[in-house]
Amino acid sequence: MNPASPVGYCRVVKIIRLLVSKRSEPEVARSLAVIVRDARLSSATRFADLVKPFIRCGIHNTKTYGKGLVTKYHMVLHRMAHSLGMAEAKRDPMRTLPRELISLVFSFLDLTSLCRCKRVSKEWARILISDKAAWAHVHMTRPRNPGRYFEKFLRYRPGIRNLIMEDVQDFGLTTARVGTLCALQDLRRLHLGIAKKGYAFPPPEPNKILGLQLPRRLCALTHLSLRITEARNFVIPELMTSFRETLEDIDVVSGSVRHLATFDANNPFPRLKRLRLFHTGDGFPKIQMENLVSACPQLEELCINGFTVENDLPSALNPAQPGEHTRWLNLRRLIFGPLTKHHRFLSVRCPVGHLLPTLSSLEHLELLGQDPCHASDCRFVADEDGPVNVYIDEEPSEHSPFPILKTFRCRTTTEPKLLQHVISEAAEKGVLETLELSIGASLEGLHMSTQHRENRQPRPAEAYSFTVCDGVKSLGLYDFNWAPAGHYSAFDGEPFLTWLAMFKSVETVAFYPGAYSGVASMVIRIMKEFPSVKVIYQDRLEGADWDHARTLGKKYGVEVKHVKGYAPTAYSGYEAW
């Protein structure tokens, strides 16, 4: 028997177990007596008294003289030691595993599990506190004792880089404790949210600058996300102002508008690259695009929702003085949400350029509102009074260069001839990846006469043939119906299927025709006739139709999703941290 192999020890234990079961026989009794004598045991009445010396010896020898290869017999030997309550079975992974592997294991645990591991022993607590990687990402949900140990928790974990607090009310967050967060030197990403409606944030204390007591040495915060929908007195503008020099990503969902004052041309955000502003309060407060453009010169992604855009965006992008370059040269993604309104500032003759030629680096454009002014600001919409004519220096611009778009989503009806200038070059080069259009929202409304609807709505396979390319992975169409004259709820989506068949690589379909009957059958046809489609977004299936579509989706490998209004945007928030 190899003393460094666990196989022999497992076989000895098996033999002893067999002997004990037959110890009433004379020959077996004599064999047991010899084993008890050689092992120097007092008696052989208990099986455990016989096997414990062999198991203890086996664990020691295999650990000391083994070659490091762990087999199933090693596990069997330790399992037997655990069943007998032996001290050798109590292995501490903190003492045996490499520190790098322990840190990797801890990085997959949530905050609750880490706190439980910290209470195992003093050794575990010491290792966990010193491991910065384990506390780099902290997601704090509702605590058992709200706010009682909040400051002490932060004081012993200076290595926090990403801090997410879903509901600051549960932690009793005050202006003083916000200052404690700002003192975490390694903190780079911060998310604060308030889930309860009607919560009033504690008012700022007197004799404090901006109502926020900040430490002498601030952290270099780069990502700030705030979901403060209903709270009052929250220090949103104070936080944005304090980290003006380091912020690269701002995501604010709030019912207040005090933070808009921080976008000042005299105090810009020099490193800001991503900005989302979502107003959830009453009305549509005005946002000055001129101030926004001047305060964020290096912006790459912009998402606005719930505001009224006061200025004409193209004029705001033009150079402020002769000789200056056009602003927002690095803008890659522009999203106007469905709740955004535009103050109509259009004239037949205005010395401003097109928006899209101005943004030469733009790659993703999403106009999710049904207000015609959305697309009017981009100068390719078919308005109620006809196409918008824009002049530059008294001369019409007919062949202005457009950026090569990868994503184009528009909920406003667009004129095919004007849209061709936006999409055709991207389609010819195979760059276009996402295309979603609307062909009936702003022309006649949802309940137009069926005869008029049939004549006015273009058939996409003919009108939008210039959009066809093999690179399109996501295709969508909104507010369409080619049903003949008859009942207003009759539905015909066959032209959409004809258009979809022209794209060979489509994997995602946004199917939003409107409130018509027969939508469920068209969704099922897409599953059966287009094997490349893997995801379908819609908002009309419910009840038995929804259950039937989900069942067929599992059969054909298609995921059917119910998303109200429109397919989700590609803008990622703190959930992607």
Side-chain angles (χ1 to χ4, degrees), residues 3 21 29 70 76 102 114 118-119 136 140 143 215 229 231 254 266-267 292 296 300 320 323 336 417 511:
S21 63
V70 179
V76 172
I102 293 175
L114 287 175
K118 184 176 174 292
R119 295 196 298 265
M140 304 181 73
T229 55
S254 174
N266 298 325
N267 297 298
L292 196 63
C296 311
E300 297 181 2
F336 286 115
K417 293 182 180 179
F511 190 76

Side-chain angles (χ1 to χ4, degrees), residues 193-227:
I194 293 182
K196 296 180 177 62
K197 294 184 178 181
Y199 172 68
F201 191 78
E205 300 178 15
N207 302 324
K208 299 289 179 62
I209 299 177
L210 297 176
L212 183 62
Q213 183 181 11
L214 297 175
R216 295 181 179 179
R217 184 182 178 186
L218 291 175
C219 61
L221 194 68
T222 59
H223 294 64
L224 178 62
S225 175
L226 303 171
R227 297 290 192 276

Side-chain angles (χ1 to χ4, degrees), residues 35 37 45 70-71 119 156 160 189 220 277 314 339 359 398 544:
I35 295 175
R37 182 194 62 193
T45 56
V70 179
T71 63
R119 295 196 298 265
Y156 284 100
I160 297 178
R189 300 181 180 185
L277 301 175
L339 300 179
L359 300 175
E398 298 179 355

Side-chain angles (χ1 to χ4, degrees), residues 281-300:
D282 298 332
F284 296 87
K286 296 179 181 180
I287 181 171
Q288 300 287 340
M289 294 304 298
E290 178 68 28
N291 296 339
L292 196 63
V293 173
S294 302
C296 311
Q298 303 298 327
L299 205 62
E300 297 181 2

Side-chain angles (χ1 to χ4, degrees), residues 141-317:
T141 55
R142 184 170 302 174
R144 181 173 299 177
N145 297 318
R148 186 177 179 183
Y149 302 104
F150 180 70
E151 295 184 9
K152 182 178 179 181
F153 173 83
L154 295 178
R155 186 165 58 251
Y156 284 100
R157 288 150 185 90
I160 297 178
R161 296 184 62 86
N162 303 339
L163 179 59
I164 299 176
M165 298 178 63
E166 294 288 355
D167 196 342
V168 298
Q169 182 182 4
D170 288 333
F171 295 91
L173 197 66
T174 61
T175 52
R177 289 184 173 179
V178 172
T180 304
L181 295 178
C182 300
L184 298 173
Q185 296 304 311
D186 292 338
L187 186 64
R188 295 296 179 266
R189 300 181 180 185
L190 175 63
H191 168 77
L192 302 177
I194 293 182
K196 296 180 177 62
K197 294 184 178 181
Y199 172 68
F201 191 78
E205 300 178 15
N207 302 324
K208 299 289 179 62
I209 299 177
L210 297 176
L212 183 62
Q213 183 181 11
L214 297 175
R216 295 181 179 179
R217 184 182 178 186
L218 291 175
C219 61
L221 194 68
T222 59
H223 294 64
L224 178 62
S225 175
L226 303 171
R227 297 290 192 276
I228 316 295
T229 55
E230 298 288 342
R232 301 183 301 273
N233 302 326
F234 196 77
V235 288
I236 297 179
E238 289 80 0
L239 283 173
M240 294 173 59
T241 304
S242 302
F243 300 99
R244 185 187 298 272
E245 298 295 330
T246 59
L247 280 175
E248 300 177 3
D249 189 330
I250 297 178
D251 185 1
V252 179
V253 179
S254 174
S256 174
V257 294
R258 293 196 307 126
H259 57 281
L260 295 181
T262 59
F263 297 102
D264 184 9
N266 298 325
N267 297 298
F269 292 82
R271 301 179 60 182
L272 190 63
K273 297 180 180 180
R274 301 175 76 245
L275 174 63
R276 180 168 76 163
L277 301 175
F278 189 177
H279 179 68
T280 59
D282 298 332
F284 296 87
K286 296 179 181 180
I287 181 171
Q288 300 287 340
M289 294 304 298
E290 178 68 28
N291 296 339
L292 196 63
V293 173
S294 302
C296 311
Q298 303 298 327
L299 205 62
E300 297 181 2
E301 296 187 26
L302 173 63
C303 179
I304 298 178
N305 196 10
F307 291 92
T308 299
V309 178
E310 178 68 15
N311 304 88
D312 192 25
L313 184 55
S315 62
L317 293 175

